[in-house]
Amino acid sequence: MIRVGICGYGNLGKGVESAIQQNEDMELVGIFTRRNPKEIQPKTKKGIVYKIEEMKKFKDQIDVMILCGGSATDLPWQTPEIVKDFNVVDSFDTHAKVAEHFLKVDKNAVESRKIAIISTGWDPGMFSLNRAMMEAILPNGKVYTFWGKGVSQGHSDAIRRIKGVVDARQYTIPVEEALEKVRNGENPELTTRQKHIRECFVVAENKSEEQRIEKEIKEMPNYFADYDTTVHFVSLEELHQNHSGIPHGGFVIHTGKTGFDLENNHIIEYNLKLDSNPEFTGSVLVAYARAAYRLNARKECGCRTVFDIAARDLSIKSYEELIKNTL
Amino acid sequence: MIRVGICGYGNLGKGVESAIQQNEDMELVGIFTRRNPKEIQPKTKKGIVYKIEEMKKFKDQIDVMILCGGSATDLPWQTPEIVKDFNVVDSFDTHAKVAEHFLKVDKNAVESRKIAIISTGWDPGMFSLNRAMMEAILPNGKVYTFWGKGVSQGHSDAIRRIKGVVDARQYTIPVEEALEKVRNGENPELTTRQKHIRECFVVAENKSEEQRIEKEIKEMPNYFADYDTTVHFVSLEELHQNHSGIPHGGFVIHTGKTGFDLENNHIIEYNLKLDSNPEFTGSVLVAYARAAYRLNARKECGCRTVFDIAARDLSIKSYEELIKNTL
């Protein structure tokens, strides 16, 4: 059995907990939190919630710690710190800072002789892996990534910070026409606005302020100004009833040419339709936790990404089974 | 530069030749054939065609030999034999005999300290890799594979062997309704007949024999009897004009459940639309040739499959570039 710990028990932590249940070679040993452990009731096991400060005591009882904190303020210090005592897996997704994060984590992992696999999940993660594979197979080509339809937590939060907003949910939606052009191999040059639209469901404190709120959303730099944005005002009840799920998904599409005169077109597509973003992401983290365990069992150490991991190390199946039934 | 050889110069060998051209780190050194080398004119380079018996002389001039023979009679002996002198990549696709092929190749590769990567291409190959990854991420799920729309060489050949048939082309086509059911997460149980239909374009010697030929096709065991098959009789001219391409493609779709009560559904899909089956397959072989070279440069030896190879070893990009631009 691979003995697993979870650090951080928000949506992602719960997603990891439910994924562990589905993997017969894994056992959940501890959940570590900054909150009061007594206030947390895990769904699958009792009496396994501890203060994050107690983690070190579990050094010999946990094989892999799955880090479920946020990329903004948690993971930048947690991953390099926790890898001093445990093999770790994280879903660090601040693209601009991944190289820096990698170096910090790698240094400590090499020293502690542990394995860290960073930036797993689906983007970065499965989408990154597919982009790399597609480009390797068809170097004369172009890869496109579309996200959605799905809830963007970051954009929903940005709306909630506007004065007079009680709650909000933002959906990122790929532009169907752009998707079709890419799938037809037209190799379009697409602006931000041409790739995605943003649809917002907003609960306002006062009806009289809706116009101002809508304007503030649509003009918000980075988040909305570069997109065609639709704003719907709804009641809190309606928001809870129709928009409480956390679905997401997306498309990676690569179009490439082959032939002596580049006369043949090929389209490779990978797409996801997810009812629950955190549960799917948690499932990916758990598969990479298996790989982290196996790499370290082979005495490997240091920082890794999805680009380093072979499928056989993610699979619960034996190699013989894979060859027989999956190849 | 990675110095590459091609063994076998049919459609696949030409596909490999055109793919090598697109990869800046590769150089085509020799093409080896059982035919008379003088009768073969490669498209990209002159004076590099040799009899297959001369291959051994190139032991120190070729880093990876890409084997482009057939799975029925060539690869079963070529791969184990040629790996005695070269790193090799093949596209062995007789599912029932892969385990046996693996063992034979592995034994010789370990002895010669070379690397062999077998059963690459798209199915087996990219589809196998995706099936393994999908099942690893969502163990509570079901994976479906559909092929087409595309030309099946094996089925076209089977029709050509019928008495009175001048030429023929067979398309495998996935049943749209079945695809939709799978994509909707309905988890259907599908029979062979419910998954694919077979459409045949046939040139008959005599119009009077068309009825007999159609009957023989539709009742042919293994190839057609288990499918809904349509037969169109066309002129040789029409066959050449409208059916001379070798397109193919297909879909791998995995539907899985997560959540403490398995309440959330997820769909992962990988699909290919290929204008030229041999050129795409050739492109995959070339990417795995890069991996074979790199593994052997790290002193690894033995037989491998797509399940063993990490994306970073397939990519021409540096790891830093991958992290920066692809992650």
Side-chain angles (χ1 to χ4, degrees):
Chain A
M1 295 295 273
I2 304 172
R3 301 165 303 171
V4 179
I6 293 173
C7 178
Y9 196 64
N11 284 332
L12 182 55
K14 286 171 196 161
V16 168
E17 184 191 3
S18 82
I20 289 171
Q21 229 189 347
Q22 291 196 15
N23 287 278
E24 291 170 9
D25 58 345
M26 304 225 174
E27 186 192 350
L28 177 58
V29 173
I31 294 171
F32 300 88
T33 177
R34 276 172 305 199
R35 290 180 279 165
N36 180 354
K38 285 180 188 150
E39 284 167 15
I40 291 174
Q41 293 295 338
K43 290 256 184 169
T44 56
K45 241 176 155 184
K46 290 196 193 310
I48 56 156
V49 184
Y50 308 95
K51 288 290 284 180
I52 199 169
E53 291 79 12
E54 298 178 80
M55 193 187 279
K56 264 186 197 284
K57 293 186 206 157
F58 290 82
K59 205 170 151 38
D60 299 321
Q61 290 157 59
I62 287 175
D63 298 309
V64 188
M65 189 68 70
I66 302 183
L67 307 183
C68 300
S71 294
T73 55
D74 300 326
L75 300 175
W77 68 268
Q78 282 182 352
T79 314
E81 194 54 36
I82 296 172
V83 81
K84 291 178 182 171
D85 297 302
F86 298 93
N87 298 307
V88 297
V89 172
D90 82 16
S91 62
F92 187 77
D93 68 357
T94 313
H95 275 89
K97 292 185 178 169
V98 171
E100 183 192 329
H101 187 61
F102 184 98
L103 290 176
K104 262 199 255 175
V105 174
D106 188 54
K107 184 172 172 291
N108 292 355
V110 168
E111 266 174 36
S112 67
R113 313 291 304 159
K114 299 289 183 189
I115 280 284
I117 310 180
I118 63 164
S119 301
T120 71
W122 59 273
D123 198 1
M126 289 302 103
F127 275 18
S128 323
L129 182 61
N130 272 281
R131 286 188 288 259
M133 299 283 302
M134 291 169 184
E135 289 179 337
I137 293 169
L138 297 176
N140 199 311
K142 196 168 156 70
V143 67
Y144 294 83
T145 304
F146 292 89
W147 298 277
K149 181 182 178 174
V151 172
S152 162
Q153 299 288 2
H155 288 78
S156 301
D157 288 345
I159 300 173
R160 284 187 205 106
R161 285 191 295 264
I162 294 174
K163 198 168 161 279
V165 170
V166 178
D167 202 353
R169 195 61 47 103
Q170 194 267 185
Y171 295 94
T172 305
I173 305 170
V175 175
E176 199 58 44
E177 197 193 339
L179 259 178
E180 280 315 303
K181 275 189 184 165
V182 170
R183 282 204 185 113
N184 291 338
E186 293 177 31
N187 261 341
E189 289 294 331
L190 297 168
T191 62
T192 301
R193 191 177 298 274
Q194 287 168 326
K195 284 184 74 185
H196 297 94
I197 53 176
R198 300 201 175 276
E199 189 173 25
C200 316
F201 293 85
V202 183
V203 182
E205 251 172 72
N206 297 305
K207 198 159 176 53
S208 62
E209 299 203 298
E210 289 183 358
Q211 228 176 340
R212 173 191 53 84
I213 291 170
E214 180 164 345
K215 190 166 181 289
E216 280 194 40
I217 293 172
K218 289 185 170 175
E219 292 175 356
M220 196 185 296
N222 302 319
Y223 286 90
F224 294 100
D226 298 334
Y227 298 85
D228 287 335
T229 301
T230 324
V231 179
H232 309 279
F233 287 95
V234 295
S235 66
L236 191 58
E237 199 184 8
E238 192 185 330
L239 192 80
H240 286 164
Q241 200 168 346
N242 298 334
H243 306 284
S244 62
I246 320 175
H248 219 315
F251 305 79
V252 180
I253 307 176
H254 186 77
T255 55
K257 289 177 185 298
T258 66
F260 296 107
D261 302 309
L262 300 179
E263 67 275 27
N264 287 313
N265 291 306
H266 306 277
I267 299 168
I268 316 177
E269 173 171 342
Y270 180 83
N271 70 58
L272 297 173
K273 284 189 199 70
L274 314 174
D275 272 1
S276 164
N277 186 355
E279 287 178 8
F280 184 80
T281 304
S283 300
V284 177
L285 286 168
V286 165
Y288 279 93
R290 176 179 294 122
Y293 170 80
R294 291 183 181 169
L295 265 66
N296 195 242
R298 297 199 295 262
K299 310 282 180 209
E300 292 190 38
C301 66
C303 189
R304 302 287 188 275
T305 65
V306 292
F307 302 132
D308 297 281
I309 309 299
R312 101 182 260 184
D313 281 323
L314 299 170
S315 177
I316 194 171
K317 292 189 178 174
S318 72
Y319 193 60
E320 290 66 30
E321 253 182 299
L322 282 175
I323 298 240
K324 198 177 164 207
N325 300 320
T326 309
L327 191 68
Chain B
M1 294 296 272
I2 303 171
R3 302 166 302 171
V4 179
I6 293 174
C7 178
Y9 196 64
N11 284 330
L12 181 56
K14 285 171 196 160
V16 168
E17 183 191 3
S18 83
I20 288 170
Q21 229 189 348
Q22 290 195 17
N23 287 277
E24 292 170 9
D25 58 345
M26 303 224 176
E27 186 192 349
L28 177 59
V29 174
I31 294 171
F32 301 87
T33 178
R34 276 172 305 198
R35 289 180 279 166
N36 179 354
K38 286 182 188 149
E39 284 167 15
I40 291 174
Q41 292 295 337
K43 291 256 184 166
T44 56
K45 241 177 155 181
K46 293 198 191 306
I48 56 158
V49 185
Y50 309 94
K51 288 291 283 180
I52 199 167
E53 292 78 13
E54 298 178 81
M55 194 187 277
K56 263 185 197 287
K57 293 186 206 157
F58 290 81
K59 204 170 151 41
D60 299 320
Q61 291 158 59
I62 287 176
D63 298 309
V64 189
M65 190 67 70
I66 302 183
L67 307 184
C68 301
S71 294
T73 54
D74 300 327
L75 300 176
W77 68 268
Q78 283 182 351
T79 314
E81 193 55 36
I82 296 172
V83 80
K84 292 178 181 171
D85 296 302
F86 298 93
N87 297 307
V88 298
V89 172
D90 82 17
S91 62
F92 186 78
D93 68 357
T94 312
H95 275 89
K97 293 185 178 169
V98 171
E100 181 192 330
H101 187 61
F102 184 98
L103 289 176
K104 262 199 255 175
V105 174
D106 189 55
K107 182 171 173 293
N108 292 356
V110 168
E111 264 173 38
S112 67
R113 313 291 304 159
K114 299 289 182 190
I115 281 284
I117 310 180
I118 63 163
S119 301
T120 71
W122 61 274
D123 198 4
M126 289 301 103
F127 275 17
S128 324
L129 182 60
N130 273 281
R131 287 188 287 258
M133 299 283 300
M134 292 170 181
E135 289 180 336
I137 293 168
L138 297 176
N140 199 311
K142 196 169 155 69
V143 67
Y144 294 83
T145 303
F146 292 88
W147 297 277
K149 182 181 177 174
V151 172
S152 162
Q153 299 288 4
H155 287 78
S156 302
D157 288 343
I159 300 173
R160 283 187 207 108
R161 284 192 295 263
I162 293 175
K163 196 168 164 280
V165 170
V166 177
D167 202 353
R169 194 60 46 103
Q170 193 268 184
Y171 294 95
T172 305
I173 306 171
V175 174
E176 199 58 44
E177 198 194 340
L179 258 179
E180 279 316 303
K181 276 190 184 167
V182 171
R183 282 205 184 111
N184 290 338
E186 293 177 33
N187 260 342
E189 290 294 331
L190 297 168
T191 63
T192 301
R193 192 178 297 275
Q194 286 168 327
K195 285 184 75 184
H196 297 94
I197 54 177
R198 300 201 175 275
E199 190 173 23
C200 315
F201 293 84
V202 183
V203 183
E205 251 173 72
N206 297 305
K207 200 158 174 51
S208 62
E209 298 202 298
E210 289 183 359
Q211 228 176 337
R212 174 192 52 85
I213 291 171
E214 180 165 345
K215 191 165 179 290
E216 280 194 39
I217 294 173
K218 289 186 171 175
E219 293 176 357
M220 198 186 293
N222 301 319
Y223 286 89
F224 294 100
D226 298 334
Y227 298 85
D228 287 336
T229 302
T230 324
V231 179
H232 309 279
F233 288 95
V234 296
S235 66
L236 191 58
E237 198 183 11
E238 193 186 329
L239 192 81
H240 287 165
Q241 197 166 348
N242 298 333
H243 305 284
S244 63
I246 321 176
H248 220 314
F251 305 79
V252 180
I253 307 176
H254 185 77
T255 56
K257 290 176 184 299
T258 66
F260 296 107
D261 303 309
L262 300 179
E263 67 275 27
N264 288 313
N265 292 306
H266 305 277
I267 298 168
I268 316 177
E269 174 172 339
Y270 180 84
N271 70 59
L272 297 172
K273 283 189 200 71
L274 313 174
D275 272 0
S276 164
N277 186 355
E279 287 179 9
F280 185 80
T281 303
S283 300
V284 176
L285 285 168
V286 164
Y288 279 93
R290 177 179 293 122
Y293 171 79
R294 291 184 181 167
L295 264 66
N296 195 242
R298 298 198 295 264
K299 310 282 179 208
E300 293 190 37
C301 66
C303 189
R304 302 287 188 275
T305 65
V306 293
F307 302 132
D308 297 280
I309 308 300
R312 105 183 256 183
D313 281 322
L314 299 170
S315 178
I316 194 171
K317 292 189 179 175
S318 72
Y319 194 60
E320 291 66 30
E321 252 182 301
L322 282 175
I323 298 244
K324 199 177 165 207
N325 300 320
T326 309
L327 193 70

